[in-house]
Amino acid sequence: MSELVTPTAEDLQALVEQVWTSYVDPEPLLPAAPLADPGCWSAVTTVTGAWRGMVTVELPERAAHAVATRMLEVAEASREEMADAVGELVNMVGGNVKSLMPEPSQLSLPMVASGSITLPSGAQEACRADLAWQGMPITVRVHLLENDAEGAA
Amino acid sequence: MRALIIDDSKTMRVILRRILTDLGFEVAEAGDGQQALTVMETGPLPELCLIDWNMPVMDGYTFVTRVRDVPEWRDVTLMMVTTESSHGNIVRALAAGAHEYVIKPFTPDAIQEKLELLGLVKDGAAA
Ligand SMILES: [Mg+2]
């Protein structure tokens, strides 16, 4: 049975900041006003088991590129490298969200795409962190999944 | 000293390679547990493996159990470096034969400290 437990927005922001300052930029992310369309790159990881949910990261292509160049310490990053870097970000945030929730549960491999996320029907936003980095919006969200909702579309 | 980094994320392999190279390790990489077993079977044997948990094909936990099935590999030090931070799975990996466990995100110092505890790094360099 899935329990309706959710991380708080404060938990989520703290986790994102920990990942961000470790690998992307020692300067903290700033809270920002949520944007209607946060961006054109999306990453998602799904937790199944005693707790069921999805963690998503959405950001503009320019930010995905900057994240990859920072993490890889290179001047230019390919689309494949951008997807890999953003995927590892959502993997780290997702894994740490999972550790706050009831066990046992499993974390999926991350999925990254340019474009917005289509969430499964029944997914319900539990909390979000709307942040800004170098003037670019970064939105991280946690969604609860109903027992019969599966994966990301 | 040779190290094998096993992680499906190239970004994470690059980050770990940087840390280990700075410490003086010779580094090889694999993108999943199966690839890592092939590297172990065919290449020079590493003294240290850094192992992600969530990977396609073969996950890090299965890799640890497979390595521990091979008597000739008993001296290889296995360190999980993973976002998998549930208590139950940490215990399971250590029981299966992993020596140390580092949770992502980590700092270079955290990796170095663990390697010092394992006796693989002394005075800031691979022992
Ligand atoms: Mg992984």
Side-chain angles (χ1 to χ4, degrees), chain A residues 3 7 16 30 42 66 79 82 85 93 108-109:
Chain A
E3 296 176 44
V16 173
L30 300 170
S42 308
R79 292 180 76 80
M82 288 159 64
V93 175
S108 76
L109 295 172

Side-chain angles (χ1 to χ4, degrees), chain A residues 88 91 108-110, chain B residues 6-9 12 31 52-56 81-83 104:
Chain A
E88 188 60 13
N91 176 52
S108 76
L109 295 172
Chain B
I6 310 157
D7 198 304
D8 57 325
S9 165
M12 191 45 64
D52 183 26
W53 191 300
N54 276 312
M55 295 182 285
V81 182
T82 169
T83 186
K104 299 173 183 172

Side-chain angles (χ1 to χ4, degrees), chain B residues 41-95:
Chain B
E41 282 157 5
T42 56
L45 197 63
E47 279 88 359
L48 166 70
C49 293
L50 302 191
I51 311 153
D52 183 26
W53 191 300
N54 276 312
M55 295 182 285
V57 188
M58 182 190 289
D59 65 33
Y61 174 77
T62 307
F63 173 78
V64 168
T65 63
R66 295 285 291 272
V67 169
R68 285 298 166 244
D69 280 344
V70 180
E72 299 81 65
W73 293 350
R74 78 173 78 86
D75 293 334
V76 179
T77 300
L78 304 179
M79 185 159 108
M80 304 301 294
V81 182
T82 169
T83 186
E84 175 52 67
S85 48
S86 74
H87 178 72
N89 277 339
I90 295 175
V91 170
R92 207 152 67 93
L94 296 174

Side-chain angles (χ1 to χ4, degrees), chain A residues 54-131:
Chain A
M54 293 170 77
V55 178
T56 58
V57 173
E58 293 150 279
L59 70 183
E61 177 155 309
R62 204 159 56 86
H65 184 263
V67 162
T69 59
R70 290 289 187 108
M71 291 179 82
L72 291 160
E73 293 188 12
V74 290
E76 272 305 318
S78 66
R79 292 180 76 80
E80 200 184 329
E81 288 169 330
M82 288 159 64
D84 187 273
V86 176
E88 188 60 13
L89 279 187
V90 81
N91 176 52
M92 285 189 274
V93 175
N96 283 283
V97 166
K98 166 171 123 53
S99 73
L100 297 176
M101 298 294 109
E103 292 187 36
S105 58
Q106 298 78 43
L107 186 70
S108 76
L109 295 172
M111 287 195 304
V112 185
S114 63
S116 58
I117 295 168
T118 308
L119 294 165
S121 64
Q124 189 191 329
E125 187 176 300
C127 65
R128 61 188 293 156
D130 292 290
L131 303 160

